[in-house]
Amino acid sequence: MIDGRFANSMSTALRHPGVIALIVAGVTIAAMLIVDHGPWSRAKTQPAHVAMYATTGEAARAAGAVVLPTEPKSPIEPARPKTSPAINPVTP
């Protein structure tokens, strides 16, 4: 009879929202630790042909593309409206 009451009280206690939240938090923390510190999160070395181009522009130039600046703004575009001065301006 004692075993039956204990099992009944444990199943009732495990259904409490606070206990469920603690279980979910524990599983989540364990999952984050596994994902963040696993062997798959180590830095990977890059092959020489990938590592020699640090930016997209360098890689484009190496492939023979021409990187051009953007077109100037259209003269039809209206000027930016004036804004009110800052309430608390920062002075150096």
Side-chain angles (χ1 to χ4, degrees), residues 41-76:
S41 65
R42 304 283 184 256
K44 294 174 179 60
T45 57
Q46 296 177 336
H49 70 279
V50 174
M52 68 187 304
Y53 304 114
T55 65
T56 305
E58 290 176 9
R61 282 188 215 72
V66 179
V67 180
L68 300 173
T70 58
E71 296 290 326
K73 286 188 174 185
S74 170
I76 302 172

Side-chain angles (χ1 to χ4, degrees), residues 2 10-11 16 23 26-28 30 32 35 41 45-46 48 55-56 60-62 66 70-71 80 85:
I2 295 174
M10 282 301 292
S11 67
H16 190 273
I23 292 171
V27 169
T28 304
M32 286 192 311
V35 169
S41 65
T45 57
Q46 296 177 336
T55 65
T56 305
R61 282 188 215 72
V66 179
T70 58
E71 296 290 326
R80 186 175 174 192

